[in-house]
Amino acid sequence: MGRDKYENELLIKYGWKRDVWFHVDNLSSAHVYLRLPKGVKIDDIPETILEECAQLVKANSIKGNKEKNVKIVYTMWKNLKKRKSMEIGQIGFHDQKKLRYTKVEARKNEIINRLNKTKSEKESDYIKKSWDEYQAKLRKKAKLKKKKEAAALKQKIAEEQKQAELREYKSLGADKGQLNTDMNMTAEEYEDDFM
């Protein structure tokens, strides 16, 4: 969660593909991010987790915290759209159809207090450092994939060459690539043999 609009800006910039972004709809609030485990989709988020994120956003909105029935918007980080003309911490969306909504009827202090007890605050450079480590893992994974693809291609080429040699009967020949068949006879040898 961003502590202010500057940290929100860092979170917008350095989010991960698996991050889900939460915000009070049409009001100022903190940006809360939920990192999904691999294979979990946005629509698979358990209701309890969804409520916790929504409660955090509501509690960290000056106006939203005072209101009842606050609408919370959430979407995948990659759907966030940042233009240069936007204010610091302000965000738009690439695709409105990918937005999800939930409502928080009232603040639940027991949830907020429990979450605050487990809160771990990190400095702003941690956001970039975490993102850099994530990008390094992605690059390493891509490099490994490329290496495996190259090895598979090399093996495929070798197999194709082997099959081509078999089709050309090269492996049937004697030393120095000569075939011991009537096909290698000169015309004179063939005529002598014929007669």
Side-chain angles (χ1 to χ4, degrees):
M1 176 173 72
R3 284 182 275 195
D4 56 27
K5 64 183 182 179
Y6 299 103
E7 275 196 6
N8 287 343
E9 191 72 17
L10 285 173
L11 290 167
I12 292 164
K13 184 175 181 179
Y14 296 115
W16 293 19
K17 288 189 290 185
R18 298 188 330 247
D19 287 350
V20 180
W21 172 88
F22 291 82
H23 197 271
V24 173
D25 198 28
N26 297 320
L27 292 175
S28 175
S29 77
H31 294 209
V32 171
Y33 288 80
L34 171 67
R35 185 150 299 144
L36 296 177
K38 285 184 181 179
V40 176
K41 300 198 182 309
I42 192 168
D43 294 324
D44 300 334
I45 299 172
E47 283 298 318
T48 53
I49 303 294
L50 196 59
E51 182 180 20
E52 288 174 351
C53 291
Q55 284 287 337
L56 267 178
V57 170
K58 178 181 173 28
N60 287 282
S61 170
I62 294 168
K63 286 185 182 176
N65 193 32
K66 298 172 187 169
E67 295 182 13
K68 292 188 184 273
N69 293 320
V70 176
K71 190 175 179 183
I72 308 296
V73 60
Y74 62 104
T75 190
M76 295 303 295
W77 169 81
K78 59 187 171 191
N79 190 37
L80 300 180
K81 180 179 181 181
K82 180 72 178 178
R83 292 189 302 266
K84 289 181 182 180
S85 63
M86 292 178 162
E87 298 279 328
I88 292 174
Q90 188 180 15
I91 204 71
F93 308 103
H94 291 286
D95 187 351
Q96 296 284 330
K97 293 175 187 171
K98 292 183 178 179
L99 299 181
R100 305 286 189 279
Y101 297 93
T102 188
K103 271 199 175 182
V104 176
E105 292 179 19
R107 177 180 165 140
K108 292 185 179 176
N109 286 326
E110 62 275 6
I111 292 175
I112 298 303
N113 292 340
R114 182 174 43 81
L115 292 174
N116 281 335
K117 286 178 185 174
T118 62
K119 180 168 69 172
S120 167
E121 292 192 25
K122 309 252 194 282
E123 292 303 314
S124 296
D125 12 335
Y126 174 79
I127 296 167
K128 184 173 182 332
K129 182 181 174 191
S130 173
W131 188 79
D132 288 342
E133 289 170 1
Y134 172 66
Q135 292 298 315
K137 284 180 184 178
L138 288 179
R139 283 190 300 273
K140 186 176 179 180
K141 192 174 179 181
K143 189 176 179 180
L144 184 62
K145 182 180 177 186
K146 203 172 188 180
K147 192 174 180 179
K148 285 181 179 179
E149 287 172 352
L153 180 63
K154 187 176 179 180
Q155 185 177 1
K156 181 181 176 186
I157 290 170
E159 185 62 33
E160 287 173 354
Q161 286 175 340
K162 185 177 176 182
Q163 293 297 323
E165 287 176 7
L166 288 173
R167 284 191 298 273
E168 293 175 7
Y169 304 108
K170 285 185 180 178
S171 62
L172 299 176
D175 293 341
K176 299 180 185 176
Q178 291 284 329
L179 293 176
N180 291 329
T181 66
D182 291 341
M183 299 293 285
N184 284 336
M185 283 195 236
T186 64
E188 293 165 353
E189 291 173 330
Y190 185 74
E191 286 176 2
D192 288 343
D193 193 40
F194 182 69
M195 303 255 177

